[in-house]
Short mmCIF file of all heavy atoms in Angstrom, two decimals:
data_model
loop_
_atom_site.label_atom_id
_atom_site.label_comp_id
_atom_site.label_asym_id
_atom_site.label_seq_id
_atom_site.Cartn_x
_atom_site.Cartn_y
_atom_site.Cartn_z
N ASP A 31 -24.98 12.87 12.19
CA ASP A 31 -24.84 13.95 13.17
C ASP A 31 -23.51 14.67 13.02
O ASP A 31 -22.67 14.30 12.22
CB ASP A 31 -25.02 13.39 14.58
CG ASP A 31 -23.94 12.37 14.95
OD1 ASP A 31 -23.10 12.06 14.13
OD2 ASP A 31 -24.01 11.85 16.08
N SER A 32 -23.31 15.72 13.80
CA SER A 32 -22.08 16.52 13.70
C SER A 32 -20.86 15.72 14.16
O SER A 32 -19.75 15.93 13.67
CB SER A 32 -22.21 17.81 14.50
OG SER A 32 -22.37 17.52 15.90
N GLY A 33 -21.01 14.81 15.14
CA GLY A 33 -19.87 13.98 15.55
C GLY A 33 -19.43 13.07 14.41
O GLY A 33 -18.24 12.86 14.23
N GLY A 34 -20.35 12.52 13.67
CA GLY A 34 -20.03 11.69 12.55
C GLY A 34 -19.36 12.48 11.44
O GLY A 34 -18.44 11.97 10.76
N ARG A 35 -19.80 13.70 11.25
CA ARG A 35 -19.15 14.56 10.25
C ARG A 35 -17.73 14.88 10.65
O ARG A 35 -16.81 14.89 9.83
CB ARG A 35 -19.95 15.83 10.05
CG ARG A 35 -21.13 15.64 9.08
CD ARG A 35 -21.76 16.93 8.66
NE ARG A 35 -22.46 17.63 9.73
CZ ARG A 35 -23.69 17.31 10.14
NH1 ARG A 35 -24.31 16.28 9.59
NH2 ARG A 35 -24.24 17.95 11.14
N ARG A 36 -17.51 15.17 11.97
CA ARG A 36 -16.11 15.43 12.39
C ARG A 36 -15.20 14.26 12.19
O ARG A 36 -14.08 14.39 11.72
CB ARG A 36 -16.11 15.85 13.88
CG ARG A 36 -16.04 17.35 14.06
CD ARG A 36 -15.94 17.68 15.49
NE ARG A 36 -17.32 17.76 15.78
CZ ARG A 36 -18.03 17.54 16.86
NH1 ARG A 36 -17.59 17.25 17.83
NH2 ARG A 36 -19.26 17.61 17.00
N ARG A 37 -15.68 13.07 12.54
CA ARG A 37 -14.91 11.85 12.32
C ARG A 37 -14.70 11.64 10.79
O ARG A 37 -13.61 11.25 10.35
CB ARG A 37 -15.60 10.63 12.92
CG ARG A 37 -15.45 10.55 14.43
CD ARG A 37 -15.98 9.24 14.95
NE ARG A 37 -17.36 9.00 14.65
CZ ARG A 37 -18.40 9.48 15.35
NH1 ARG A 37 -18.22 10.24 16.37
NH2 ARG A 37 -19.65 9.21 14.97
N GLY A 38 -15.70 11.95 10.02
CA GLY A 38 -15.60 11.83 8.56
C GLY A 38 -14.51 12.77 8.00
O GLY A 38 -13.75 12.40 7.12
N TRP A 39 -14.48 13.99 8.55
CA TRP A 39 -13.47 14.94 8.08
C TRP A 39 -12.07 14.47 8.38
O TRP A 39 -11.16 14.62 7.60
CB TRP A 39 -13.72 16.31 8.71
CG TRP A 39 -14.63 17.17 7.88
CD1 TRP A 39 -15.91 17.46 8.12
CD2 TRP A 39 -14.28 17.83 6.67
NE1 TRP A 39 -16.42 18.27 7.13
CE2 TRP A 39 -15.45 18.48 6.21
CE3 TRP A 39 -13.16 17.90 5.88
CZ2 TRP A 39 -15.47 19.21 5.04
CZ3 TRP A 39 -13.17 18.62 4.70
CH2 TRP A 39 -14.35 19.27 4.29
N GLY A 40 -11.88 13.93 9.59
CA GLY A 40 -10.58 13.39 9.96
C GLY A 40 -10.09 12.31 8.99
O GLY A 40 -8.96 12.35 8.52
N GLY A 41 -10.99 11.36 8.69
CA GLY A 41 -10.63 10.32 7.73
C GLY A 41 -10.43 10.85 6.34
O GLY A 41 -9.51 10.42 5.64
N PHE A 42 -11.25 11.81 5.96
CA PHE A 42 -11.14 12.36 4.60
C PHE A 42 -9.84 13.12 4.42
O PHE A 42 -9.17 12.98 3.43
CB PHE A 42 -12.32 13.31 4.33
CG PHE A 42 -12.09 14.13 3.09
CD1 PHE A 42 -12.15 13.52 1.83
CD2 PHE A 42 -11.79 15.47 3.16
CE1 PHE A 42 -11.91 14.29 0.69
CE2 PHE A 42 -11.56 16.23 2.01
CZ PHE A 42 -11.65 15.64 0.76
N LEU A 43 -9.44 13.92 5.44
CA LEU A 43 -8.21 14.72 5.28
C LEU A 43 -7.00 13.80 5.17
O LEU A 43 -6.08 14.10 4.35
CB LEU A 43 -8.03 15.69 6.46
CG LEU A 43 -9.08 16.80 6.48
CD1 LEU A 43 -8.89 17.67 7.71
CD2 LEU A 43 -8.96 17.67 5.21
N ARG A 44 -6.95 12.71 5.92
CA ARG A 44 -5.81 11.77 5.77
C ARG A 44 -5.83 11.13 4.40
O ARG A 44 -4.79 11.06 3.72
CB ARG A 44 -5.88 10.69 6.86
CG ARG A 44 -5.44 11.15 8.21
CD ARG A 44 -5.35 10.00 9.20
NE ARG A 44 -6.64 9.28 9.40
CZ ARG A 44 -7.55 9.63 10.28
NH1 ARG A 44 -7.38 10.70 11.03
NH2 ARG A 44 -8.66 8.93 10.39
N ALA A 45 -7.00 10.67 3.97
CA ALA A 45 -7.10 10.04 2.65
C ALA A 45 -6.79 11.02 1.53
O ALA A 45 -6.14 10.65 0.53
CB ALA A 45 -8.49 9.44 2.47
#
Side-chain angles (χ1 to χ4, degrees):
D31 60 0
S32 63
R35 277 191 291 282
R36 260 184 270 148
R37 284 189 301 278
W39 271 105
F42 169 72
L43 291 176
R44 284 189 300 273

